[in-house]
Amino acid sequence: MALQTFFAQIIAKELVASHMLQIRFAKPEGFEYQAGQFLQLLVPPGATPRSYSLSSTPTDDYLEFGVKLYEGGLASEYFQTLTVGDQVELKGSLGRFINTQRDPIVGIATGAGLVPIYGIFHDELMNKKNQAPMHLIFGVRTEADLFWLDRLEALASANSNFTYIYTLSQPSENWKKTRGRVSEHLTLLPEARYFICGNPEMVKDVRAQLLEKAVPVTNIHLEIF
């Protein structure tokens, strides 16, 4: 696919977790990408490029990001000044964090790492009608960091081949559900492809576990946030 630079208008913006902003743009006519890819947003002044994975799928009529907000971050502060109707400059599509097979899939995500993995699962289940077994392990620190659980439940309700868990590494005392890091809840599926996205420590740890369990390196796909 040819790399394009274009302006896109914001059509929706919502804070979905303590530091997670969901933002949608109108998709330019003819723009193509694959689920799991990312775009570069050119942040003024100086049009500094920042990369953001897409949670939307190629059949959607919009482009959607899930953006983690950082205190004092150039792009974070820029996003917070934007409102519906504003236009931003984007470049893309980019990235090889995509699924091209019909094999089973296991997704392992922490925080904003859920963004491209959700896009991949949604595309495989709802658009491609992939019937292979699929499982997601999603981890954040606290209850306030959870987001898109309604989307995951909708996918699970509509697709019996999709299951998921979410786990907190630093939950409150009142938390009654799954605790611990995602690496403590790793699930293997026969002949699966593994999509790992999140902080470097987690990605490195999970990759090492998979290799120790004789998962072929060609079946392990990584994206570090």
Side-chain angles (χ1 to χ4, degrees):
M1 297 179 188
L3 195 65
Q4 300 181 43
T5 299
F6 56 92
F7 284 89
Q9 186 178 58
I10 297 174
I11 58 175
K13 177 183 173 184
E14 179 185 0
L15 192 67
V16 294
S18 59
H19 295 90
M20 181 63 58
L21 181 67
Q22 173 186 303
I23 188 165
R24 287 186 180 183
F25 304 88
K27 185 167 82 171
E29 184 175 353
F31 181 73
E32 296 182 354
Y33 65 97
Q34 297 182 67
Q37 288 193 301
F38 65 91
L39 301 181
Q40 286 189 332
L41 183 141
L42 303 180
V43 181
T48 303
R50 291 288 188 273
S51 298
Y52 294 99
S53 291
L54 290 157
S55 53
S56 51
T57 71
T59 62
D60 294 324
D61 60 1
Y62 55 83
L63 302 173
E64 183 184 79
F65 301 147
V67 178
K68 185 172 182 179
L69 301 177
Y70 294 93
E71 187 73 29
L74 176 65
S76 297
E77 293 186 352
Y78 175 59
F79 271 121
Q80 293 180 81
T81 67
L82 296 173
T83 61
V84 172
D86 288 342
Q87 289 197 337
V88 300
E89 189 174 4
L90 298 168
K91 181 185 290 187
S93 56
L94 298 146
R96 299 180 179 179
F97 194 67
I98 58 175
N99 184 50
T100 60
Q101 308 297 324
R102 304 289 286 187
D103 300 329
I105 299 174
V106 176
I108 305 101
T110 52
L114 177 62
V115 174
I117 290 179
Y118 171 79
I120 291 170
F121 276 127
H122 190 274
D123 191 46
E124 292 296 324
L125 293 164
M126 306 304 292
N127 298 335
K128 297 180 180 178
K129 307 299 181 184
N130 189 343
Q131 297 298 308
M134 300 186 197
H135 183 66
L136 169 69
I137 307 144
F138 173 42
V140 294
R141 290 183 179 179
T142 70
E143 292 92 323
D145 299 318
L146 287 167
F147 64 99
W148 291 354
L149 298 185
D150 55 338
R151 296 188 179 192
L152 299 180
E153 185 55 34
L155 282 184
S157 296
N159 301 274
S160 60
N161 57 317
F162 173 69
T163 56
Y164 71 97
I165 67 165
Y166 51 95
T167 181
L168 304 187
S169 60
Q170 299 176 23
S172 69
E173 293 181 0
N174 297 325
W175 182 252
K176 304 300 183 184
K177 298 182 180 180
T178 307
R179 294 170 175 255
R181 299 177 180 272
V182 292
S183 55
E184 298 171 37
H185 302 282
L186 196 58
T187 296
L188 298 185
L189 294 178
E191 301 180 347
R193 294 187 173 271
Y194 296 82
F195 287 81
I196 315 167
C197 189
N199 65 76
E201 181 183 353
M202 180 279 288
V203 171
K204 180 180 178 181
D205 187 19
V206 171
R207 181 181 184 274
Q209 283 193 47
L210 293 175
L211 292 176
E212 287 175 2
K213 296 178 184 298
V215 173
V217 68
T218 53
N219 283 19
I220 303 174
H221 307 269
L222 311 176
E223 192 93 297
I224 295 175
F225 279 13

